[in-house]
Coordinates of all heavy atoms in Angstrom, one line a residue:
G17 N -6.3 -88.3 23.7 CA -5.7 -88.0 22.4 C -5.4 -86.5 22.3 O -5.6 -85.8 23.2
P18 N -4.9 -86.2 21.2 CA -4.5 -84.8 20.9 C -5.7 -83.9 20.9 O -6.8 -84.3 20.5 CB -3.8 -84.8 19.6 CG -4.3 -86.0 18.9 CD -4.6 -87.0 20.0
P19 N -5.6 -82.6 21.2 CA -6.7 -81.7 21.2 C -7.2 -81.5 19.7 O -6.4 -81.4 18.8 CB -6.2 -80.4 21.7 CG -4.7 -80.6 22.0 CD -4.3 -82.0 21.7
P20 N -8.5 -81.5 19.5 CA -9.0 -81.3 18.2 C -8.5 -80.1 17.5 O -8.3 -80.1 16.3 CB -10.6 -81.2 18.4 CG -10.8 -81.9 19.7 CD -9.5 -81.7 20.5
S21 N -8.2 -79.0 18.2 CA -7.7 -77.8 17.6 C -6.3 -78.0 17.0 O -6.0 -77.4 16.0 CB -7.6 -76.6 18.7 OG -6.7 -77.0 19.7
Y22 N -5.5 -78.9 17.6 CA -4.2 -79.2 17.1 C -4.3 -80.0 15.8 O -3.7 -79.8 14.8 CB -3.3 -79.9 18.1 CG -1.9 -80.2 17.5 CD1 -1.1 -79.2 17.2 CD2 -1.5 -81.5 17.3 CE1 0.2 -79.5 16.7 CE2 -0.3 -81.8 16.8 CZ 0.6 -80.8 16.5 OH 1.8 -81.0 15.9
L23 N -5.2 -81.0 15.8 CA -5.5 -81.8 14.6 C -6.0 -81.0 13.5 O -5.6 -81.1 12.3 CB -6.4 -83.0 15.0 CG -5.9 -84.0 15.9 CD1 -7.0 -85.0 16.2 CD2 -4.7 -84.7 15.4
Q24 N -6.8 -80.0 13.8 CA -7.4 -79.1 12.8 C -6.2 -78.2 12.2 O -6.2 -78.0 11.0 CB -8.5 -78.2 13.3 CG -9.8 -79.0 13.6 CD -10.7 -78.2 14.5 OE1 -10.4 -77.2 15.0 NE2 -12.0 -78.8 14.6
A25 N -5.3 -77.8 13.1 CA -4.2 -77.0 12.6 C -3.3 -77.8 11.7 O -2.8 -77.3 10.7 CB -3.4 -76.4 13.8
L26 N -3.1 -79.1 12.1 CA -2.2 -79.9 11.2 C -2.9 -80.1 9.8 O -2.2 -79.9 8.8 CB -2.1 -81.3 11.8 CG -1.1 -81.5 13.0 CD1 -1.2 -83.0 13.5 CD2 0.3 -81.1 12.6
A27 N -4.2 -80.4 9.8 CA -4.9 -80.6 8.6 C -4.9 -79.3 7.7 O -4.7 -79.3 6.5 CB -6.4 -81.0 8.8
A28 N -5.0 -78.1 8.3 CA -5.0 -76.9 7.6 C -3.6 -76.6 7.0 O -3.5 -76.1 5.9 CB -5.4 -75.7 8.5
A29 N -2.6 -76.9 7.8 CA -1.2 -76.7 7.3 C -0.9 -77.6 6.1 O -0.3 -77.1 5.1 CB -0.2 -77.0 8.4
L30 N -1.4 -78.8 6.1 CA -1.3 -79.7 5.0 C -2.1 -79.2 3.8 O -1.6 -79.2 2.6 CB -1.7 -81.1 5.3 CG -0.8 -81.8 6.3 CD1 -1.4 -83.2 6.7 CD2 0.6 -82.1 5.6
E31 N -3.3 -78.8 4.0 CA -4.2 -78.4 2.9 C -3.6 -77.2 2.2 O -3.7 -77.1 1.0 CB -5.6 -78.0 3.5 CG -6.7 -77.8 2.5 CD -7.0 -79.1 1.7 OE1 -6.9 -80.2 2.2 OE2 -7.4 -78.9 0.5
R32 N -2.9 -76.3 2.9 CA -2.3 -75.1 2.3 C -1.2 -75.5 1.3 O -0.9 -74.7 0.4 CB -1.7 -74.2 3.3 CG -2.8 -73.3 4.0 CD -2.1 -72.2 4.9 NE -1.3 -72.7 6.0 CZ -1.8 -73.0 7.2 NH1 -3.1 -72.9 7.4 NH2 -1.0 -73.4 8.1
Q33 N -0.6 -76.7 1.5 CA 0.5 -77.1 0.6 C 0.0 -78.1 -0.5 O 0.8 -78.5 -1.3 CB 1.6 -77.8 1.5 CG 2.2 -76.8 2.4 CD 2.8 -75.6 1.8 OE1 3.3 -75.6 0.7 NE2 2.6 -74.4 2.4
K34 N -1.2 -78.4 -0.5 CA -1.7 -79.4 -1.5 C -1.8 -78.7 -2.9 O -2.4 -77.6 -3.0 CB -3.1 -79.9 -1.1 CG -3.6 -81.0 -1.9 CD -4.8 -81.7 -1.3 CE -6.0 -80.9 -1.5 NZ -7.3 -81.6 -1.1
R35 N -1.3 -79.3 -3.9 CA -1.4 -78.9 -5.3 C -2.0 -80.0 -6.1 O -1.5 -81.1 -6.1 CB 0.0 -78.5 -5.8 CG 0.8 -77.5 -5.0 CD 0.3 -76.1 -5.1 NE 1.2 -75.2 -4.4 CZ 0.9 -74.8 -3.1 NH1 0.0 -75.4 -2.4 NH2 1.7 -74.0 -2.5
Y36 N -3.0 -79.6 -6.9 CA -3.6 -80.6 -7.8 C -2.7 -80.7 -9.1 O -2.6 -79.7 -9.8 CB -5.0 -80.2 -8.2 CG -6.0 -81.3 -8.4 CD1 -7.1 -81.4 -7.7 CD2 -5.7 -82.2 -9.4 CE1 -8.1 -82.4 -7.9 CE2 -6.7 -83.2 -9.6 CZ -7.8 -83.3 -8.9 OH -8.7 -84.3 -9.1
P37 N -2.1 -81.8 -9.3 CA -1.2 -81.8 -10.5 C -2.0 -81.6 -11.8 O -3.1 -82.1 -12.0 CB -0.7 -83.3 -10.5 CG -1.0 -83.8 -9.2 CD -2.1 -83.1 -8.6
D38 N -1.4 -80.7 -12.7 CA -2.0 -80.4 -14.0 C -2.4 -81.6 -14.8 O -3.5 -81.7 -15.4 CB -1.2 -79.5 -14.8 CG -1.0 -78.1 -14.2 OD1 -1.9 -77.7 -13.4 OD2 0.0 -77.4 -14.4
A39 N -1.5 -82.6 -14.8 CA -1.7 -83.8 -15.6 C -2.9 -84.6 -15.1 O -3.8 -85.0 -15.9 CB -0.5 -84.7 -15.6
A40 N -3.0 -84.6 -13.8 CA -4.2 -85.3 -13.2 C -5.5 -84.6 -13.4 O -6.5 -85.1 -13.7 CB -3.9 -85.5 -11.7
R41 N -5.4 -83.2 -13.3 CA -6.5 -82.4 -13.5 C -7.1 -82.5 -14.9 O -8.2 -82.7 -15.2 CB -6.2 -80.9 -13.2 CG -7.4 -80.0 -13.3 CD -7.0 -78.6 -13.0 NE -6.4 -78.3 -11.7 CZ -7.1 -78.1 -10.6 NH1 -8.4 -78.2 -10.6 NH2 -6.5 -77.9 -9.5
S42 N -6.1 -82.6 -15.9 CA -6.5 -82.6 -17.3 C -7.2 -84.0 -17.6 O -8.0 -84.1 -18.5 CB -5.4 -82.4 -18.2 OG -4.4 -83.4 -18.1
R43 N -6.8 -85.0 -16.9 CA -7.4 -86.4 -17.0 C -8.7 -86.5 -16.2 O -9.3 -87.5 -16.2 CB -6.5 -87.5 -16.6 CG -5.3 -87.7 -17.5 CD -4.6 -89.0 -17.2 NE -4.4 -89.3 -15.7 CZ -3.4 -88.8 -15.0 NH1 -2.5 -88.0 -15.5 NH2 -3.4 -89.1 -13.7
R44 N -9.0 -85.4 -15.4 CA -10.1 -85.4 -14.4 C -9.9 -86.6 -13.4 O -10.9 -87.1 -12.9 CB -11.4 -85.5 -15.1 CG -11.6 -84.3 -16.1 CD -13.0 -84.1 -16.6 NE -14.0 -83.9 -15.5 CZ -14.2 -82.7 -14.9 NH1 -13.4 -81.7 -15.2 NH2 -15.2 -82.5 -14.0
A45 N -8.7 -86.9 -13.0 CA -8.4 -87.9 -12.0 C -8.8 -87.4 -10.7 O -8.5 -86.2 -10.4 CB -6.9 -88.2 -12.1
A46 N -9.3 -88.2 -9.9 CA -9.7 -87.9 -8.5 C -9.4 -89.1 -7.6 O -9.3 -90.2 -8.1 CB -11.2 -87.5 -8.5
G47 N -9.4 -88.8 -6.3 CA -9.2 -89.9 -5.4 C -8.9 -89.4 -4.0 O -8.7 -88.2 -3.8
V48 N -8.8 -90.3 -3.1 CA -8.5 -90.0 -1.7 C -7.4 -90.9 -1.2 O -7.5 -92.1 -1.3 CB -9.8 -90.2 -0.7 CG1 -9.4 -89.9 0.7 CG2 -10.9 -89.4 -1.2
A49 N -6.3 -90.3 -0.7 CA -5.2 -91.1 -0.2 C -5.3 -91.0 1.3 O -5.9 -90.1 1.9 CB -3.9 -90.4 -0.6
L50 N -4.8 -92.0 2.0 CA -4.7 -92.0 3.4 C -3.2 -91.8 3.8 O -2.4 -92.7 3.5 CB -5.3 -93.3 4.1 CG -5.3 -93.2 5.6 CD1 -6.2 -92.1 6.1 CD2 -5.8 -94.5 6.2
L51 N -2.9 -90.7 4.3 CA -1.5 -90.3 4.6 C -1.3 -90.5 6.1 O -2.0 -90.0 6.9 CB -1.3 -88.9 4.3 CG 0.1 -88.3 4.7 CD1 1.2 -89.0 3.9 CD2 0.1 -86.8 4.5
R52 N -0.3 -91.4 6.5 CA 0.0 -91.6 7.9 C 1.4 -90.9 8.1 O 2.3 -91.2 7.3 CB 0.1 -93.0 8.2 CG 0.4 -93.3 9.7 CD 0.2 -94.7 10.1 NE -1.2 -95.2 10.0 CZ -2.1 -95.0 10.9 NH1 -1.8 -94.5 12.0 NH2 -3.3 -95.5 10.7
F53 N 1.5 -90.1 9.1 CA 2.8 -89.5 9.4 C 3.0 -89.3 10.9 O 2.1 -89.3 11.7 CB 3.0 -88.1 8.6 CG 2.0 -87.1 9.0 CD1 2.3 -86.1 10.0 CD2 0.7 -87.1 8.5 CE1 1.4 -85.2 10.4 CE2 -0.2 -86.1 8.8 CZ 0.1 -85.1 9.8
T54 N 4.3 -89.1 11.2 CA 4.7 -88.8 12.6 C 5.3 -87.4 12.7 O 6.2 -87.1 11.9 CB 5.7 -89.9 13.1 OG1 5.1 -91.2 13.0 CG2 6.1 -89.6 14.6
V55 N 4.7 -86.6 13.5 CA 5.2 -85.2 13.7 C 5.8 -85.2 15.1 O 5.3 -85.7 16.1 CB 4.0 -84.2 13.5 CG1 2.9 -84.4 14.6 CG2 4.5 -82.8 13.6
T56 N 7.0 -84.5 15.1 CA 7.7 -84.3 16.4 C 7.2 -83.0 17.1 O 6.4 -82.3 16.5 CB 9.2 -84.2 16.2 OG1 9.5 -83.1 15.3 CG2 9.7 -85.5 15.5
R57 N 7.6 -82.9 18.4 CA 7.1 -81.7 19.2 C 7.3 -80.4 18.4 O 6.5 -79.5 18.5 CB 7.8 -81.7 20.5 CG 7.4 -82.7 21.5 CD 7.5 -82.3 22.9 NE 6.5 -81.3 23.3 CZ 5.3 -81.6 23.7 NH1 4.8 -82.8 23.7 NH2 4.4 -80.6 24.0
D58 N 8.4 -80.3 17.7 CA 8.7 -79.0 17.0 C 8.1 -78.9 15.7 O 8.4 -77.9 14.9 CB 10.3 -78.8 16.9 CG 10.9 -79.9 16.1 OD1 10.3 -80.8 15.6 OD2 12.2 -79.8 16.0
G59 N 7.2 -79.8 15.3 CA 6.5 -79.7 14.1 C 7.1 -80.3 12.9 O 6.7 -80.2 11.7
R60 N 8.2 -81.0 13.1 CA 9.0 -81.7 12.0 C 8.3 -83.0 11.7 O 7.8 -83.7 12.6 CB 10.4 -81.9 12.5 CG 11.4 -82.0 11.4 CD 12.8 -82.0 11.9 NE 13.0 -82.7 13.2 CZ 13.1 -84.0 13.4 NH1 13.1 -84.8 12.3 NH2 13.2 -84.5 14.6
V61 N 8.3 -83.4 10.4 CA 7.8 -84.7 10.0 C 8.9 -85.7 10.1 O 9.9 -85.6 9.4 CB 7.2 -84.7 8.6 CG1 6.8 -86.0 8.1 CG2 6.1 -83.7 8.5
A62 N 8.8 -86.6 11.1 CA 9.8 -87.6 11.3 C 9.8 -88.7 10.2 O 10.8 -89.2 9.7 CB 9.7 -88.3 12.7
R63 N 8.5 -89.1 9.8 CA 8.4 -90.1 8.8 C 6.9 -90.0 8.3 O 6.1 -89.6 9.0 CB 8.8 -91.5 9.2 CG 7.9 -92.0 10.4 CD 8.5 -93.3 11.0 NE 8.1 -93.6 12.3 CZ 8.6 -93.1 13.4 NH1 9.7 -92.3 13.3 NH2 8.2 -93.3 14.6
W64 N 6.8 -90.6 7.1 CA 5.4 -90.6 6.5 C 5.3 -91.7 5.5 O 6.3 -92.2 5.0 CB 5.1 -89.2 5.8 CG 5.9 -88.9 4.6 CD1 7.1 -88.2 4.7 CD2 5.7 -89.3 3.3 NE1 7.6 -88.1 3.4 CE2 6.7 -88.7 2.5 CE3 4.6 -89.9 2.6 CZ2 6.8 -88.9 1.1 CZ3 4.7 -90.1 1.3 CH2 5.8 -89.6 0.5
R65 N 4.1 -92.1 5.2 CA 3.8 -93.1 4.2 C 2.4 -92.9 3.7 O 1.5 -92.5 4.5 CB 4.1 -94.5 4.6 CG 3.1 -95.1 5.6 CD 3.5 -96.5 6.0 NE 2.4 -97.2 6.8 CZ 2.3 -97.1 8.1 NH1 3.2 -96.3 8.8 NH2 1.4 -97.7 8.8
I66 N 2.1 -93.3 2.5 CA 0.8 -93.4 2.0 C 0.2 -94.8 2.3 O 0.7 -95.8 1.8 CB 0.7 -93.1 0.5 CG1 1.2 -91.7 0.2 CG2 -0.7 -93.3 -0.1 CD1 1.3 -91.3 -1.3
E67 N -0.7 -94.8 3.2 CA -1.3 -96.0 3.7 C -2.3 -96.6 2.7 O -2.4 -97.8 2.6 CB -1.9 -95.8 5.1 CG -2.1 -97.1 5.8 CD -2.2 -96.8 7.3 OE1 -1.2 -96.8 8.0 OE2 -3.4 -96.7 7.8
R68 N -3.0 -95.7 2.1 CA -3.9 -96.1 1.0 C -3.8 -95.1 -0.1 O -3.9 -93.9 0.0 CB -5.4 -96.1 1.5 CG -6.4 -96.7 0.6 CD -7.8 -96.7 1.1 NE -8.3 -95.3 1.3 CZ -8.8 -94.8 2.4 NH1 -8.9 -95.6 3.5 NH2 -9.2 -93.6 2.5
S69 N -3.5 -95.7 -1.3 CA -3.3 -94.9 -2.5 C -4.6 -94.2 -3.0 O -5.7 -94.7 -2.8 CB -2.7 -95.8 -3.6 OG -2.7 -95.1 -4.8
T70 N -4.4 -93.1 -3.8 CA -5.5 -92.5 -4.5 C -5.9 -93.4 -5.7 O -7.0 -93.2 -6.3 CB -5.2 -91.1 -5.0 OG1 -4.1 -91.3 -6.0 CG2 -4.8 -90.2 -3.9
G71 N -5.0 -94.3 -6.1 CA -5.2 -95.0 -7.4 C -4.6 -94.3 -8.6 O -4.7 -94.8 -9.7
D72 N -4.0 -93.2 -8.4 CA -3.4 -92.4 -9.5 C -2.0 -92.0 -9.1 O -1.8 -91.3 -8.0 CB -4.2 -91.2 -9.8 CG -3.7 -90.4 -10.9 OD1 -2.9 -89.5 -10.8 OD2 -4.2 -90.6 -12.1
A73 N -1.0 -92.3 -9.9 CA 0.4 -92.1 -9.5 C 0.7 -90.6 -9.4 O 1.4 -90.2 -8.5 CB 1.3 -92.7 -10.6
D74 N 0.1 -89.7 -10.2 CA 0.3 -88.3 -10.1 C -0.2 -87.7 -8.8 O 0.4 -86.9 -8.2 CB -0.3 -87.5 -11.3 CG 0.5 -87.8 -12.6 OD1 1.7 -88.0 -12.6 OD2 -0.2 -87.7 -13.7
L75 N -1.4 -88.2 -8.4 CA -2.0 -87.7 -7.2 C -1.2 -88.2 -6.0 O -1.0 -87.4 -5.0 CB -3.5 -88.2 -7.1 CG -4.4 -87.6 -8.1 CD1 -5.8 -88.1 -7.9 CD2 -4.4 -86.1 -8.1
D76 N -0.8 -89.5 -6.0 CA 0.0 -90.0 -4.9 C 1.4 -89.2 -4.8 O 1.8 -88.9 -3.7 CB 0.3 -91.5 -5.1 CG -0.9 -92.4 -4.8 OD1 -1.9 -91.8 -4.3 OD2 -0.8 -93.6 -5.1
R77 N 2.0 -88.9 -5.9 CA 3.2 -88.1 -5.9 C 2.9 -86.7 -5.3 O 3.7 -86.2 -4.5 CB 3.8 -87.9 -7.3 CG 5.2 -87.5 -7.4 CD 5.8 -87.6 -8.7 NE 5.0 -87.7 -9.9 CZ 4.6 -88.9 -10.5 NH1 5.0 -90.0 -10.0 NH2 3.8 -88.9 -11.6
A78 N 1.8 -86.1 -5.6 CA 1.4 -84.8 -5.0 C 1.2 -84.9 -3.5 O 1.5 -83.9 -2.8 CB 0.1 -84.3 -5.7
V79 N 0.8 -86.0 -3.0 CA 0.7 -86.2 -1.5 C 2.1 -86.1 -0.9 O 2.3 -85.4 0.1 CB 0.0 -87.5 -1.2 CG1 0.0 -87.8 0.3 CG2 -1.5 -87.5 -1.6
G80 N 3.0 -86.8 -1.5 CA 4.4 -86.8 -1.0 C 5.0 -85.4 -1.1 O 5.7 -85.0 -0.1
E81 N 4.7 -84.7 -2.1 CA 5.3 -83.3 -2.3 C 4.6 -82.4 -1.2 O 5.3 -81.5 -0.7 CB 5.0 -82.8 -3.7 CG 5.8 -83.5 -4.7 CD 5.4 -83.3 -6.2 OE1 4.4 -82.5 -6.4 OE2 6.1 -83.8 -7.1
M82 N 3.3 -82.6 -1.0 CA 2.6 -81.8 0.0 C 3.2 -82.0 1.4 O 3.5 -81.0 2.1 CB 1.1 -82.2 0.0 CG 0.3 -81.5 1.1 SD -1.3 -82.3 1.4 CE -0.8 -83.9 2.2
I83 N 3.4 -83.2 1.8 CA 4.0 -83.4 3.2 C 5.4 -82.9 3.2 O 5.9 -82.4 4.3 CB 3.8 -84.9 3.6 CG1 4.2 -85.1 5.1 CG2 4.6 -85.9 2.8 CD1 3.1 -84.7 6.1
G84 N 6.1 -83.0 2.1 CA 7.5 -82.5 2.1 C 7.6 -81.0 2.2 O 8.6 -80.5 2.8
R85 N 6.6 -80.3 1.7 CA 6.6 -78.8 1.8 C 6.0 -78.3 3.1 O 6.3 -77.1 3.4 CB 5.7 -78.2 0.6 CG 6.3 -78.1 -0.7 CD 5.4 -77.2 -1.6 NE 4.1 -77.8 -1.8 CZ 3.8 -78.7 -2.8 NH1 4.7 -79.1 -3.6 NH2 2.6 -79.1 -2.9
A86 N 5.2 -79.0 3.7 CA 4.4 -78.5 4.8 C 5.2 -78.1 6.0 O 6.2 -78.7 6.4 CB 3.4 -79.6 5.3
S87 N 4.8 -77.0 6.6 CA 5.4 -76.5 7.8 C 4.4 -76.7 8.9 O 3.4 -76.0 8.9 CB 5.7 -75.0 7.6 OG 6.3 -74.5 8.8
L88 N 4.5 -77.7 9.7 CA 3.5 -78.1 10.6 C 3.6 -77.3 11.9 O 4.7 -77.0 12.3 CB 3.5 -79.6 10.8 CG 3.3 -80.4 9.6 CD1 3.5 -81.9 9.9 CD2 2.0 -80.2 9.0
P89 N 2.5 -77.1 12.6 CA 2.6 -76.4 13.9 C 3.2 -77.3 15.0 O 3.2 -78.5 14.9 CB 1.1 -76.2 14.2 CG 0.3 -77.2 13.5 CD 1.1 -77.5 12.2
T90 N 3.9 -76.6 15.9 CA 4.5 -77.3 17.1 C 3.4 -77.9 17.9 O 2.2 -77.4 17.9 CB 5.4 -76.4 17.9 OG1 4.6 -75.3 18.3 CG2 6.5 -75.9 17.1
M91 N 3.7 -78.9 18.7 CA 2.7 -79.6 19.5 C 2.4 -78.6 20.7 O 3.4 -78.0 21.2 CB 3.2 -80.9 20.0 CG 3.2 -82.0 18.9 SD 4.1 -83.5 19.4 CE 3.2 -84.1 20.7
P92 N 1.2 -78.5 21.2 CA 0.9 -77.7 22.4 C 1.8 -78.1 23.6 O 2.0 -79.3 23.8 CB -0.6 -78.0 22.6 CG -1.1 -78.5 21.4 CD 0.0 -79.2 20.7
A93 N 2.1 -77.2 24.4 CA 3.0 -77.5 25.6 C 2.4 -78.5 26.5 O 3.1 -79.3 27.1 CB 3.3 -76.2 26.3
D94 N 1.1 -78.5 26.6 CA 0.4 -79.4 27.6 C 0.1 -80.8 27.0 O -0.5 -81.6 27.7 CB -0.8 -78.7 28.2 CG -1.9 -78.4 27.1 OD1 -1.5 -78.5 25.9 OD2 -3.0 -78.1 27.4
M95 N 0.6 -81.0 25.8 CA 0.3 -82.3 25.1 C 1.5 -83.2 25.5 O 2.6 -82.9 25.3 CB 0.2 -82.1 23.6 CG -0.7 -83.0 22.9 SD -0.9 -82.5 21.2 CE -0.1 -83.9 20.5
P96 N 1.2 -84.4 26.0 CA 2.2 -85.4 26.4 C 2.9 -86.0 25.1 O 2.4 -86.0 24.1 CB 1.5 -86.4 27.2 CG 0.1 -86.4 26.6 CD -0.2 -85.0 26.2
G97 N 4.1 -86.5 25.4 CA 4.8 -87.3 24.3 C 5.8 -86.4 23.5 O 5.7 -85.2 23.5
D98 N 6.7 -87.1 22.9 CA 7.7 -86.5 22.0 C 7.3 -86.4 20.6 O 7.8 -85.6 19.8 CB 9.0 -87.3 22.1 CG 9.7 -87.2 23.4 OD1 9.5 -86.2 24.2 OD2 10.3 -88.2 23.8
S99 N 6.3 -87.2 20.2 CA 5.8 -87.2 18.8 C 4.3 -87.6 18.8 O 3.8 -88.1 19.8 CB 6.7 -88.0 17.9 OG 6.6 -89.4 18.4
L100 N 3.7 -87.5 17.6 CA 2.3 -87.9 17.5 C 2.2 -88.5 16.1 O 2.7 -88.0 15.1 CB 1.4 -86.7 17.6 CG -0.1 -86.9 17.3 CD1 -0.7 -87.8 18.4 CD2 -0.8 -85.6 17.2
E101 N 1.6 -89.7 16.0 CA 1.3 -90.3 14.7 C -0.1 -90.0 14.4 O -1.0 -90.1 15.2 CB 1.5 -91.9 14.8 CG 1.4 -92.5 13.5 CD 1.7 -94.0 13.5 OE1 2.9 -94.3 13.8 OE2 0.9 -94.8 13.1
V102 N -0.3 -89.5 13.1 CA -1.6 -89.1 12.6 C -1.9 -89.7 11.3 O -1.0 -89.9 10.5 CB -1.6 -87.6 12.5 CG1 -3.0 -87.1 12.1 CG2 -1.1 -86.9 13.7
A103 N -3.1 -90.1 11.0 CA -3.5 -90.5 9.7 C -4.6 -89.6 9.2 O -5.6 -89.3 9.9 CB -4.1 -92.0 9.8
V104 N -4.4 -89.0 8.0 CA -5.4 -88.0 7.5 C -5.7 -88.4 6.1 O -4.9 -88.8 5.3 CB -4.8 -86.6 7.5 CG1 -4.7 -86.1 9.0 CG2 -3.5 -86.4 6.8
P105 N -7.0 -88.2 5.7 CA -7.4 -88.4 4.3 C -6.9 -87.2 3.5 O -7.1 -86.1 4.0 CB -8.9 -88.6 4.3 CG -9.3 -87.9 5.6 CD -8.1 -88.0 6.6
V106 N -6.4 -87.4 2.3 CA -6.1 -86.3 1.4 C -6.9 -86.4 0.2 O -6.7 -87.4 -0.6 CB -4.6 -86.3 1.1 CG1 -4.2 -85.1 0.2 CG2 -3.7 -86.3 2.3
R107 N -7.8 -85.5 0.0 CA -8.8 -85.6 -1.1 C -8.4 -84.8 -2.3 O -8.1 -83.6 -2.2 CB -10.2 -85.1 -0.6 CG -11.2 -86.1 -0.3 CD -12.5 -85.6 0.3 NE -13.0 -86.7 1.0 CZ -12.7 -86.9 2.3 NH1 -11.9 -86.1 2.9 NH2 -13.3 -87.9 2.9
F108 N -8.5 -85.4 -3.5 CA -8.4 -84.7 -4.7 C -9.7 -84.9 -5.5 O -10.0 -86.0 -5.8 CB -7.2 -85.2 -5.5 CG -5.9 -85.0 -4.9 CD1 -5.3 -85.9 -4.1 CD2 -5.2 -83.8 -5.2 CE1 -4.0 -85.6 -3.5 CE2 -3.9 -83.5 -4.7 CZ -3.3 -84.5 -3.8
Q109 N -10.4 -83.8 -5.7 CA -11.6 -83.9 -6.5 C -11.7 -82.7 -7.4 O -11.4 -81.6 -7.0 CB -12.8 -84.1 -5.6 CG -13.0 -83.0 -4.6 CD -14.1 -83.4 -3.5 OE1 -14.2 -84.6 -3.2 NE2 -14.8 -82.5 -3.0
I110 N -12.2 -82.9 -8.6 CA -12.5 -81.8 -9.5 C -13.8 -81.2 -9.1 O -14.8 -81.9 -9.0 CB -12.6 -82.3 -11.0 CG1 -11.3 -83.1 -11.4 CG2 -12.9 -81.2 -12.0 CD1 -10.1 -82.3 -11.7
R111 N -13.8 -79.9 -8.9 CA -15.1 -79.2 -8.6 C -15.9 -78.9 -9.8 O -15.4 -78.6 -10.8 CB -14.8 -78.0 -7.8 CG -14.1 -78.2 -6.5 CD -14.2 -77.0 -5.6 NE -13.2 -76.9 -4.6 CZ -12.9 -77.8 -3.6 NH1 -13.7 -78.8 -3.5 NH2 -12.0 -77.5 -2.7

């Protein structure tokens, strides 16, 4: 599989782009989406889908906006393949 450091870099890049929608925050909506996406060697998102919804339309929309904004790291030179499919949980919780 991919090196853990690369998976951590992907997760960090996504987390930096995550925005908690004000409408969801005011309703104290929370949830976890499972986001599945394919990243190409150059860090481009080839495709994505929400495999499991948060249960809240505003939060699910925020997941799509997050992946759309994200600038993902390029794949390490020693990693095989032209792309990588990854599934990551995206958590929204009121602290």
